[in-house]
Amino acid sequence: PRPPDLAPPARPTPAASPAGGGPASEAPVASGAPAASPALPTDAPVEGPVPAVGVEAGITFDTERFGAVEVERRLLLTRGATGWQVRWSPAVLFPELGERGQLRLARVLSPRGRIVAQDGTVFADNRDDGTRVYPQRQLAGQLVGYASEVTAEDIEARPQAGYEIGDPVGRSGLEATADDVLRGSPGWRLEAVPEGGGPTPVLESAGVPGADLVITIRPALQRAAEGVLAPYADAATAVVDPASGDIWALASRPAFDPNSLATGLALDGTALSPADFNQLLNKAALGGYPAGSAFKPFTLAAALATGVATAQSGVTCPPTWPVDGVTYVNFEQHSLPGVVSLAEAMAFSCNTTYMPLAGDVFVVDPGALPEMVRAFGFGAASGARYLPEEAGIVPDEGWMQANRGSGYGFHDQLQLSIGQGPLLVTPLQLANAYAAIGNGGTLWTPRIAVETRDPDGQVVESFAPEPIRRVPLAPEQLAYIVETMRAVVTLPYGTATAAFAGFGVPVAGKSGTAETGTPNPNAWFPAIAPAEDPTISVATVLVQVPLATGGSDAAPLVRQVMAAFFGG
């Protein structure tokens, strides 16, 4: 039959690419159109009635967001002055547009991954409306951190990150350092919006949900570590596994509820006061402090390694020690009579023993003590995956030249030997270094991330424990250092004997009472237990507490954390 005559068609209108896949002037080509007749030029008029025919055709077009798209359409072909052409409008591809509709590209956020402990405790999650919430509230709050909506300033600062207004972005803690893992990637939806009508999805590409981050924190131990610090305004505790470097607890005071900055609301909807920087700071990993006498085991390590001392060495512990016109003193000028062992001097925390010992090491090798200290992980970030951490300061020759304009000298060594001077360490560094003493010399990279999982629970990536190095000490030398730290909690005059009286597990540790430049010292106690084959290492610091000492104030808190670990 003869094709029907139609009125002259409107001038062909090019279709906009549905997702920016090509220039807007490029119209899709029907795969079923007659090939012999070229398309009529857009500026060629068509006069009078023209023949037309409908053709079933498969159309394929490429897009940036949705890839190759295939549709089946019935095309209307009209014969013009020079041949057949498609009677084109955007509704050919998307009939939902109607006569004057528009296409709209919508970005669809994917769910942010959760932060979850190995026992299933959820620290960061999403409500049904997509709001980021923190079910454990203050528990491990500084470690977990918080996320909130991205701002225009964020987008300007990181244009390559692909954020858009309304996206959540990690601001602190694991939420920030693992943001790329947690955020996933968005999906896209192309919507047809007919004139006067609502949107209809016509093309969709699924996003990739963020992965869950599984962490090593043990909630019960974390709760115990935070609980014992509750009376203090400024304090921190780190707990690690000596056999793997796994971080079991990182407690910091003052406490921080991530909900206070994520939404400003508690889980029950009541308003929360915004947290300040002091609350946000994870002092267990980011707080750098002078260690005081808690550093003496590393002075002993350098003395043993250089041959300056042995397990059989006899030493003295006078109330004062004058050298080069400077007089160094013990705490309250206490002393031990006669010749004593290095273990007895450690138990009594004799400055006047360990400073002369460090002086002898300096004469043999001026770099031996700083090098030993660095071998135990001080003065450098550990490389723990996703964990924000402070490197601290080891005031060796390089640091002194760069920051003081003079070399590392004899009196710098004396200050370092008792954890004073420019030295700064974190509780995590001390807990990890003490673990290396107790486990036979392996310094582990502290591990907070165990693995990432997709929403179905399948492991995407796992992270095995990673040793950093073996410390440069023989097994018998490490065993003797443990023996001296054991004396701190067993000898009658040990600085932590009272704190651990009656404790059923043998503990080895060292008290530290560090000068801070204020009337109030830092009180330290790092320790391992059981002493001969430790399964836990704990380090606690109480920052600038009036009249506090490591043995009387920090050691009892470490005992309580260990009691929670060993079941009371």
Side-chain angles (χ1 to χ4, degrees), residues 327-395:
T327 298
Y328 295 102
V329 300
N330 283 333
F331 178 70
E332 296 186 347
Q333 297 195 22
H334 290 167
S335 64
L336 291 173
V339 175
V340 297
S341 68
L342 286 166
E344 291 171 313
M346 186 75 77
F348 202 59
S349 198
C350 293
N351 292 342
T352 58
T353 299
Y354 280 90
M355 294 179 90
L357 194 66
D360 293 342
V361 170
F362 187 87
V363 171
V364 172
D365 181 354
L369 178 56
E371 288 168 8
M372 180 63 70
V373 168
R374 286 195 178 276
F376 275 95
F378 299 102
S382 69
R385 189 184 304 270
Y386 302 130
L387 181 67
E389 55 178 333
E390 166 63 35
I393 293 174
V394 173

Side-chain angles (χ1 to χ4, degrees), residues 81-450:
T82 59
W84 291 91
Q85 67 179 19
V86 176
R87 188 164 184 176
W88 182 258
S89 77
V92 171
L93 291 181
F94 304 111
E96 298 87 349
L97 286 169
E99 289 295 324
R100 295 182 178 84
Q102 294 182 329
L103 291 174
R104 182 171 68 190
L105 185 63
R107 185 170 177 270
V108 182
L109 281 178
S110 297
R112 190 172 177 85
R114 304 177 304 162
I115 299 175
V116 188
Q118 288 176 283
D119 70 354
T121 300
V122 178
F123 286 93
D125 203 355
N126 310 301
R127 288 202 301 242
D128 291 342
D129 63 0
T131 303
R132 192 68 163 175
V133 293
Y134 302 90
Q136 305 308 317
R137 302 187 60 194
Q138 296 179 352
L139 191 68
Q142 293 92 351
L143 170 66
V144 172
Y146 77 104
S148 64
E149 286 193 6
V150 75
T151 65
E153 291 76 13
D154 296 324
I155 295 172
E156 183 178 355
R158 297 176 60 191
Q160 74 283 356
Y163 291 112
E164 292 190 11
I165 296 296
D167 290 2
V169 59
R171 301 291 184 185
S172 70
L174 295 174
E175 286 277 35
T177 54
D179 189 64
D180 288 345
V181 169
L182 296 167
R183 68 182 289 214
S185 59
W188 299 88
R189 183 173 61 247
L190 187 67
E191 300 172 335
V193 186
E195 186 177 28
T200 300
V202 292
L203 293 176
E204 293 187 86
S205 68
V208 178
D212 290 349
L213 181 66
V214 182
I215 60 176
T216 57
I217 292 297
R218 295 189 174 188
L221 200 57
Q222 177 74 30
R223 191 170 288 107
E226 291 184 13
V228 300
L229 297 183
Y232 297 91
D234 197 348
T237 292
V239 184
V240 303
D241 177 8
S244 67
D246 281 5
I247 299 171
W248 288 339
L250 291 175
S252 185
R253 291 289 297 170
F256 168 59
D257 183 345
N259 294 294
S260 68
L261 291 179
T263 64
L265 300 174
L267 298 180
D268 61 4
T270 59
L272 294 172
S273 299
D276 60 25
F277 177 77
N278 195 35
Q279 292 172 271
L280 270 174
L281 185 64
N282 180 9
K283 295 171 184 175
L286 288 168
Y289 311 96
S293 293
F295 222 60
K296 284 174 180 168
F298 307 106
T299 300
L300 177 56
L304 295 172
T306 56
V308 166
T310 69
Q312 291 73 42
S313 294
V315 292
T316 59
C317 176
T320 62
W321 179 53
V323 58
D324 295 341
V326 179
T327 298
Y328 295 102
V329 300
N330 283 333
F331 178 70
E332 296 186 347
Q333 297 195 22
H334 290 167
S335 64
L336 291 173
V339 175
V340 297
S341 68
L342 286 166
E344 291 171 313
M346 186 75 77
F348 202 59
S349 198
C350 293
N351 292 342
T352 58
T353 299
Y354 280 90
M355 294 179 90
L357 194 66
D360 293 342
V361 170
F362 187 87
V363 171
V364 172
D365 181 354
L369 178 56
E371 288 168 8
M372 180 63 70
V373 168
R374 286 195 178 276
F376 275 95
F378 299 102
S382 69
R385 189 184 304 270
Y386 302 130
L387 181 67
E389 55 178 333
E390 166 63 35
I393 293 174
V394 173
D396 55 12
E397 177 71 21
W399 189 93
M400 294 295 289
Q401 289 285 3
N403 294 275
R404 298 292 172 88
S406 60
Y408 178 78
F410 180 79
H411 287 273
D412 299 315
Q413 172 107 335
L414 301 185
Q415 291 293 330
L416 180 60
S417 72
I418 59 168
Q420 296 285 177
L423 175 75
L424 293 178
V425 305
T426 70
L428 178 59
Q429 286 177 329
L430 265 180
N432 205 39
Y434 270 56
I437 294 173
N439 69 21
T442 299
L443 183 72
W444 292 98
T445 300
R447 185 173 72 146
I448 194 66
V450 178

